[in-house]
Amino acid sequence: MSTAARPNVSAVEAMYQFVLWLVPVLDGMPRSQKFLLGDRIQTTAMDVLDHLIEAAYSRERAALLRHANLGLEKLRFWMRMSKDLKLIDFKRYEHAARCIDDVGRQVGGWLKSNRPAGTTTPDAGADHAPPT
């Protein structure tokens, strides 16, 4: 399958680059958290990458992309916790947050572009009163 047939492969590449950056950062965590919080962050990041790779090669990608989005949200919280516990410095936290947000925007756009024409999100139109 060509890159043109998989227009959102950039989300996969962005997540791959984030994981490449993340692994050595987590290796630098104190031993007391490296094998708990560090492993959880790394496993979640790799799960997100797995979901994105699978979505790139699947016709049924919506569920995979939703799982990736959930994993990204977990990463946001765990990276913030790592910063708050002073396990990573602010500069690294800031970089991680930017990378996660970038992947999240790409995944959101990918989800939106794969929605069948004429469908909306479940809460679309919630601001409008039903016809009487």
Side-chain angles (χ1 to χ4, degrees), residues 21-105:
W21 171 84
L22 182 64
V23 170
V25 169
L26 297 175
D27 281 344
M29 278 186 163
R31 187 172 176 84
S32 64
Q33 288 301 314
K34 184 179 187 177
F35 298 108
L36 182 61
L37 187 57
D39 279 351
R40 180 163 292 196
I41 292 169
Q42 184 171 332
T43 299
T44 302
M46 294 183 84
D47 286 347
V48 170
L49 181 57
D50 284 344
H51 291 310
L52 294 176
I53 292 168
E54 289 175 34
Y57 290 94
S58 173
R59 292 183 192 269
E60 304 299 323
R61 54 182 62 108
L64 293 165
L65 294 172
R66 284 193 300 273
H67 285 293
N69 249 349
L70 180 59
L72 291 168
E73 191 61 28
K74 291 176 182 179
L75 284 172
R76 284 182 183 97
F77 278 94
W78 291 328
M79 293 305 294
R80 188 174 116 204
M81 184 181 292
S82 297
K83 181 220 12 130
D84 291 344
L85 292 171
K86 300 187 184 339
L87 301 172
I88 61 171
D89 62 35
F90 184 78
K91 187 175 179 180
R92 286 187 172 136
Y93 166 72
E94 197 173 41
H95 177 75
R98 274 196 303 269
C99 290
I100 294 167
D101 285 347
D102 178 48
V103 174
R105 276 191 299 279

